[in-house]
Amino acid sequence: MLGPERLGSARFRQDYGLRMAYVAGAMVKGIASADLVIRLGKAGCLSFYGSGGMRPAEVEAAIRKIQGALDRGEPYGVNLLSEPSRPHQEMERVDLLLRLGVRTVEASAFMQVTPALVKFRLKGPNRIIAKISRPEVAALFLAPPPAKLVERLVEEDQLTREDAALAARLPLASDICVEADSGGHTDMGVTSVLLPAMIRLRDEMQLQHRYEMPVGVGAGGGIGTPEAAACAFLLGADFIVTGSINQCTVEAGTSDTAKDMLQAMNVQDTAYAPAGDMFEMGSKVQVMKKGVFFPAKASKLYDLWRTHGSLEAIDAATAREIQDKYLRRSFDEVYRETRDFYAKEAPAEIERAERNPKARMALVFRWYFVHTMRLAMEGKAEHRVDYQVHTGPALGAFNQWVKGTALEDWRHRHVDAIGAHLMQACADYMDQRIRALS
């Protein structure tokens, strides 16, 4: 009989001290909470605290809570989110993680190698599991850290010569997770297409650079049923990463109202919408659409920004509708609130907005995206039509799979229990299929 502890790579399980090759990916703003990380760590599974969008003091408090609870070497990690417009914040986050002794990070949304990534990798060396969906980005993480960047960090006293000596022998990432169509930011990829291509790329670069330790390749996105997990393992995944299914659990750091809505989802109840943090780039996120107007409203705001040069250029009726029904306050009120926040966090954003009316419009519209996430996390029922909840159809598939069982109600869904249930059912399914082919 094939057991859940035998699925995936034995090397991956050994390296991270895991019982199963099962990983729970981060969800921003602490939705992947300290409690979630602790619960999975005690069960012998790796998960990542969702540090994206959190203030440094909040991140430090969460890490200290995790470290206090997982004091026997249990696995845990912290997400490191790309900050292309604020590289200093990325480096400050890495310095915080190093100071607190965090040894494993999940690198998300990176399109290029940054000084912060290189510093974290070589100060140890530490482990980076990089979430990628494009071969050209995977190639960057499968190569050693760029020599020029390493030398620059040495000259800036960010690395020692001893740290730098590791660079030629290590890939930037210790492992990569191939991310297919998923909740939140997505390139809408397909696992059966992406995963084999990435494994072949890994094999080529492993041979080229002659690394002592192989780079593991995992699969994430769309995994919410035993059959989906089995597909990933049969395609060669060393480990699987779940996301959306963990948001509808007791430990997830979002509101009960949002969880009630997530529990009612089916596979068709998601939509693509503009991404608030990459608004001007036209990037997309996958969100819940059942019972909410957020996807339609977000798309309208993006279309208005794309076709108008300033807030003043929008016709009066549309401008009134946006202020009354979307923002529920005036453009000026939103801009003042945004300006006060960015004055401390990113003053260059305000300077650009003061010079460029279109940039000012983008800042005002981006406020709506932050506000709608906050509404969902706070669970304000009167504003539920505006909830922005990042999720993929994997949760709808999971809901249908557990319908009529104890796990139908999210109040009975603990992250460790659903992980164990999914992996056991995956092993059983694979056994069944193997016997059918015999």
Side-chain angles (χ1 to χ4, degrees):
M1 291 286 290
L2 180 65
E5 294 86 359
R6 291 179 58 199
L7 297 173
S9 163
R11 194 276 311 168
F12 181 82
R13 296 193 301 271
Q14 183 178 355
D15 283 356
Y16 291 89
L18 308 180
R19 185 173 68 85
M20 299 185 296
Y22 179 88
V23 178
M27 294 174 283
V28 295
K29 294 188 178 294
I31 294 174
S33 66
D35 289 339
L36 184 152
V37 173
I38 292 166
R39 185 105 184 187
L40 280 166
K42 288 184 178 295
C45 297
L46 178 62
S47 61
F48 292 93
Y49 171 70
S51 64
M54 304 294 283
R55 295 182 181 277
E58 295 171 318
V59 175
E60 179 167 355
I63 292 172
R64 292 194 182 279
K65 180 178 179 179
I66 293 166
Q67 292 174 333
L70 302 181
D71 58 355
R72 298 182 179 180
E74 297 97 332
Y76 77 93
V78 177
N79 178 257
L80 180 64
L81 189 63
S82 173
E83 299 275 3
S85 63
R86 289 173 279 183
H88 64 285
Q89 290 192 6
E90 200 177 287
M91 185 62 82
E92 287 168 3
R93 182 59 50 87
V94 161
D95 288 340
L96 172 63
L97 299 179
L98 292 172
R99 177 168 61 83
L100 295 176
V102 174
R103 295 304 179 199
T104 304
V105 300
E106 175 194 64
S108 302
F110 284 89
M111 300 298 289
Q112 59 186 4
V113 179
T114 69
L117 281 172
V118 174
K119 181 176 180 178
F120 183 84
R121 177 63 163 143
L122 297 181
K123 277 290 183 183
N126 298 311
R127 292 190 176 97
I128 295 175
I129 298 182
K131 295 178 81 171
I132 52 89
S133 56
R134 300 184 181 192
E136 70 272 20
V137 178
L140 297 176
F141 279 98
L142 291 168
K148 288 184 179 178
L149 190 48
V150 173
E151 183 62 29
R152 192 179 100 196
L153 288 169
V154 171
E155 292 172 356
E156 295 173 352
D157 292 325
Q158 300 274 9
L159 292 175
T160 66
R161 286 291 173 191
E162 289 75 18
D163 297 328
L166 294 169
R169 306 197 303 270
L170 291 173
L172 179 61
S174 47
D175 302 275
I176 61 173
C177 171
V178 179
E179 190 173 29
D181 195 27
S182 63
H185 293 88
T186 178
D187 281 333
M188 308 174 197
V190 178
T191 299
S192 60
V193 174
L194 285 174
L195 188 57
M198 298 296 190
I199 290 173
R200 289 189 179 93
L201 177 62
R202 184 276 312 272
D203 291 345
E204 291 170 7
M205 297 194 71
Q206 182 80 30
L207 186 63
Q208 176 186 346
H209 295 288
R210 302 177 182 273
Y211 298 129
E212 292 181 14
M213 296 295 293
V215 178
V217 181
I223 299 177
T225 61
E227 297 86 351
C231 285
F233 285 125
L234 287 169
L235 285 167
D238 292 311
F239 58 96
I240 61 169
V241 178
T242 58
S244 296
I245 64 174
N246 301 313
Q247 188 170 195
C248 194
T249 61
V250 175
E251 290 77 25
T254 192
S255 67
D256 289 0
T257 307
K259 293 175 188 180
D260 288 338
M261 297 171 72
L262 287 165
Q263 182 186 308
M265 269 183 51
N266 207 324
V267 293
Q268 74 275 16
D269 293 327
T270 65
Y272 300 106
D277 58 342
M278 298 181 178
F279 185 80
E280 291 163 275
M281 297 169 64
S283 296
K284 298 284 188 181
V285 289
Q286 189 163 197
V287 297
M288 176 177 65
K289 73 175 181 181
K290 184 176 182 178
V292 298
F293 296 146
F294 169 78
K297 288 183 175 182
S299 295
K300 182 164 185 176
L301 289 178
Y302 180 73
D303 287 342
L304 286 171
W305 173 81
R306 188 173 52 82
T307 56
H308 293 76
S310 67
L311 291 169
E312 292 73 22
I314 301 172
D315 67 90
T318 301
R320 178 52 52 201
E321 179 190 13
I322 299 302
Q323 292 171 95
D324 290 348
K325 296 183 179 180
Y326 290 40
L327 310 178
R328 300 178 190 268
R329 62 204 71 192
S330 70
F331 290 148
D332 287 342
E333 288 174 312
V334 171
Y335 183 66
R336 281 196 299 270
E337 182 179 328
T338 303
R339 184 182 58 198
D340 292 345
F341 173 80
Y342 277 109
K344 297 178 181 178
E345 299 291 329
E349 292 272 6
I350 300 302
E351 293 172 9
R352 187 167 74 98
E354 295 289 347
R355 296 193 308 268
N356 184 341
K358 196 175 183 73
R360 181 173 180 267
M361 177 169 50
L363 274 187
V364 169
F365 287 172
R366 281 165 55 189
W367 176 93
Y368 174 74
F369 292 80
V370 175
H371 179 61
T372 50
M373 289 194 74
R374 190 183 301 127
L375 290 175
M377 294 186 68
E378 292 174 352
K380 294 183 177 179
E382 66 274 22
H383 297 303
R384 62 190 294 161
V385 294
D386 282 305
Y387 284 7
Q388 179 186 176
V389 180
H390 293 185
T391 190
L395 177 56
F398 180 87
N399 288 338
Q400 300 312 305
W401 174 47
V402 300
K403 195 169 185 178
T405 74
L407 292 176
E408 180 173 358
D409 187 338
W410 69 260
R411 291 165 181 82
H412 299 151
R413 296 182 190 177
H414 293 282
V415 284
D416 56 337
I418 66 174
H421 188 52
L422 179 63
M423 290 289 278
Q424 181 63 62
C426 174
D428 292 344
Y429 174 77
M430 291 177 70
D431 258 340
Q432 175 190 350
R433 298 308 303 157
I434 290 169
R435 286 197 303 271
L437 294 171
S438 298

